Amino acid sequence: MPNRPIRAVVRNQQVYSVSTSATVRTAAHMMKEYRIGALMVVEDDRLIGIFTERDALFRVLAGNLDPDRTTVGDVMTADPTTIAPDRPMVHALHLMHEGGFRHLPVADGGKAVGMLSIRDALGVELARFEEEVDEREAIAEILG
């Protein structure tokens, strides 16, 4: 449904966010607990950044930073591209493709109202496929 409004996708979403002062470890634990790949960074009820699993991997782990001493504010993507909830899903797909990212914050007047992921855009079939790939990778890792 590429023309469905984004508002319909994020209508029942819980907004998961952290402050810039949260440690990367805290943010990573939140993402694990809620089974999400990105958190919105909010200050005074305004979206100011996004912290993703890629930020944790590339900026923190590969950058040899200590996740207990590094704050989200140090490694987040500031002023991320956002999309308004009244836009169609096809517009979100275009932004994600052009920007090369998997998560797109939905903001209404600067306030975070939801997060689109590539899974939201591509549907249940892709989510099932990704879960299967993750399971196979975990098995391969265990088997060495």
Side-chain angles (χ1 to χ4, degrees):
M1 308 286 176
N3 288 322
R4 66 186 160 155
I6 290 166
R7 185 178 314 283
V9 177
V10 300
R11 178 183 0 246
N12 296 319
Q13 272 189 4
Q14 170 71 36
V15 174
Y16 296 107
S17 64
V18 292
S19 69
T20 56
S21 63
T23 67
V24 167
R25 184 169 310 276
T26 297
H29 282 293
M30 286 179 66
M31 291 191 298
K32 178 182 178 188
E33 179 181 348
Y34 298 120
R35 299 177 52 105
I36 56 175
L39 290 165
M40 290 185 261
V41 184
V42 175
E43 192 172 275
D44 295 327
D45 218 24
R46 308 236 356 125
L47 177 70
I48 62 164
I50 183 174
F51 178 75
T52 69
E53 55 202 0
R54 284 183 167 179
D55 294 329
L57 179 65
F58 297 139
R59 295 179 180 174
V60 180
L61 187 61
N64 295 318
L65 299 177
D66 181 349
D68 292 313
R69 293 187 179 169
T70 305
T71 67
V72 169
D74 293 334
V75 292
M76 72 179 186
T77 300
D79 300 317
T81 299
T82 63
I83 193 162
D86 61 338
R87 300 299 309 225
M89 183 59 81
V90 69
H91 185 70
L93 284 171
H94 175 74
L95 288 174
M96 293 166 103
H97 174 73
E98 290 295 314
F101 39 81
R102 300 178 196 176
H103 297 92
L104 181 61
V106 181
D108 194 1
K111 182 178 179 177
V113 296
M115 178 79 75
L116 288 177
S117 74
I118 199 69
R119 285 184 182 179
D120 296 323
L122 298 179
V124 176
E125 294 80 13
L126 178 63
R128 287 187 187 139
F129 175 75
E130 285 181 336
E131 287 171 6
E132 185 176 318
V133 168
D134 289 344
E135 288 172 10
R136 289 176 189 237
E137 287 177 351
I139 291 169
E141 192 172 296
I142 290 169
L143 296 175

